[in-house]
Amino acid sequence: MKTKHRDDEELRKLMNRLNRVEGQVRGVKKMLEEEQYCVDILTQVSAIQAALNAFNKELLSSHIHSCVVEEIQKGNTEVVDELCESIKKLMK
């Protein structure tokens, strides 16, 4: 399994984004329990998807600027194929 050390600032930003998403998901669960209107719940789910997309964009950018660049500098161009596959999965 590959690992990646993140500096404190990057880790803080990513964790903050995930904490917000987690809070939003808990909010949707509460909305369901309270039998709130479907469209209102769908609106919140859309906000969760947008928040996850923002998380993915930040993590992908970091990955490209660090992991991908480092591997290419080492001569490992296979990392580009891995990156392309990752992007395909994100764009489903």
Side-chain angles (χ1 to χ4, degrees), residues 18-71:
L18 285 179
N19 287 334
R20 282 193 296 269
V21 169
E22 185 178 33
Q24 289 173 302
V25 170
R26 281 194 304 271
V28 167
K29 288 170 80 173
K30 185 176 179 187
M31 291 174 81
L32 282 171
E33 292 168 352
E34 294 174 353
E35 299 181 348
Q36 292 193 23
Y37 189 57
C38 300
V39 173
D40 295 336
I41 295 170
L42 290 169
T43 299
Q44 291 305 309
V45 170
S46 179
I48 292 168
Q49 289 173 325
L52 284 171
N53 285 340
F55 174 86
N56 281 342
K57 288 176 196 174
E58 191 162 324
L59 187 58
L60 182 60
S61 176
S62 172
H63 177 63
I64 292 168
H65 284 96
S66 60
C67 303
V68 174
V69 169
E70 288 170 13
E71 288 300 313

Side-chain angles (χ1 to χ4, degrees), residues 70-86:
E70 288 170 13
E71 288 300 313
I72 289 172
Q73 288 173 342
K74 292 177 187 175
N76 178 11
T77 57
E78 291 173 6
V79 72
V80 175
D81 293 331
E82 179 187 63
L83 174 62
C84 290
E85 285 301 312
S86 295

